[in-house]
Amino acid sequence: MIPSFPECNHSLVKSLAHYSDQELLTLFQRHTDAGQYFTAIFCRYSAMVYTLIRHSARSPVQADYLFATTWRHIFYELSELDLRHLGEESGFTLQSWLLNITAICMNQTELPPVEAIHYNLQAAPPPLWCYMERALEYMPPILRLMVLMAQTFGWSETRIAAYLQAEGDAMSPTEVRVRLQEGYRLLEESLPEDVRAIYLAGNTWTQDNQLATK
């Protein structure tokens, strides 16, 4: 069964339906501070990619994870993709390029066992995951570490405080809670404005949200 993605019905995404693949790619490459163009590409081809992937994974959890990591790979590769040049040389279209990238990811990705995967497709669809990861790169290292410990591994403030103390950073559980809220705020502010509009819909990021990390 192919998952449904509510973002595909968001007005920002639907307003881009009339653009060609080349136009969406150009807009994505020109407007790096916007997320709607990549989300529109994702919505246009998510069903195709998922259909291919679900037959190569042993479990739905692994299929969802491979689907997400494939789109993460696509996200970074799209920044440098010269579709016009490829099209002139070999008749490549965005669709055929995506099929090729999907096949490469299916053949080369070593999937972790189900119990090692901490990814929830509904909590963090691939476009949100990609922009979340990019936002994490701009966070101070200590805040990024704390957010990942809380989100990826579900650690409590007490356990995070104990870990930090063992590493030489004395911090009480209360201080960890305050710093985590600061981290969530910075993470949300670092997301493109349209990504916040599409995925957060006015809600603030809290510890109840789950980062899509392995």
Side-chain angles (χ1 to χ4, degrees), residues 1-170:
M1 181 176 179
I2 298 174
S4 61
F5 297 99
E7 61 266 43
C8 298
N9 292 317
H10 194 279
S11 58
L12 283 175
V13 177
K14 292 179 72 173
S15 69
L16 303 173
H18 65 285
Y19 284 111
S20 68
D21 288 349
Q22 179 60 64
E23 289 170 330
L24 284 178
L25 176 61
T26 299
L27 288 166
F28 167 73
Q29 292 174 340
R30 288 180 179 174
H31 302 282
T32 57
D33 59 340
Q36 58 190 297
Y37 307 114
F38 176 68
T39 305
I41 293 172
F42 167 80
C43 288
R44 187 170 291 182
Y45 288 106
S46 59
M48 179 191 76
V49 173
Y50 196 89
T51 299
L52 292 172
I53 283 175
R54 68 177 176 176
H55 297 297
S56 69
R58 295 180 179 177
S59 75
V61 172
Q62 287 181 322
D64 287 356
Y65 179 72
L66 179 57
F67 177 71
T69 55
T70 297
W71 276 104
R72 181 176 58 181
H73 186 78
I74 290 168
F75 177 74
Y76 289 106
E77 291 291 327
L78 278 177
S79 298
E80 304 297 329
L81 177 62
D82 187 347
L83 195 58
R84 289 192 177 94
H85 181 68
L86 284 175
E88 290 172 359
E89 286 193 345
S90 58
F92 249 37
T93 62
L94 182 61
Q95 178 174 324
S96 58
W97 181 84
L98 288 170
L99 288 170
N100 187 51
I101 292 295
T102 301
I104 291 173
C105 290
M106 289 167 56
N107 291 327
Q108 297 184 357
T109 301
E110 185 174 342
L111 290 172
V114 171
E115 60 272 14
I117 296 175
H118 300 275
Y119 177 74
N120 185 320
L121 182 61
Q122 298 305 315
L128 178 59
W129 184 16
C130 291
Y131 286 102
M132 222 28 114
E133 282 202 334
R134 196 177 73 175
L136 281 168
E137 295 174 2
Y138 296 104
M139 291 179 63
I142 185 65
L143 287 182
R144 180 169 63 244
L145 175 63
M146 292 167 64
V147 166
L148 289 175
M149 285 191 291
Q151 293 288 328
T152 304
F153 303 109
W155 285 15
S156 65
E157 288 95 350
T158 300
R159 187 173 182 182
I160 294 173
Y163 174 86
L164 293 175
Q165 185 174 1
E167 294 297 316
D169 290 307

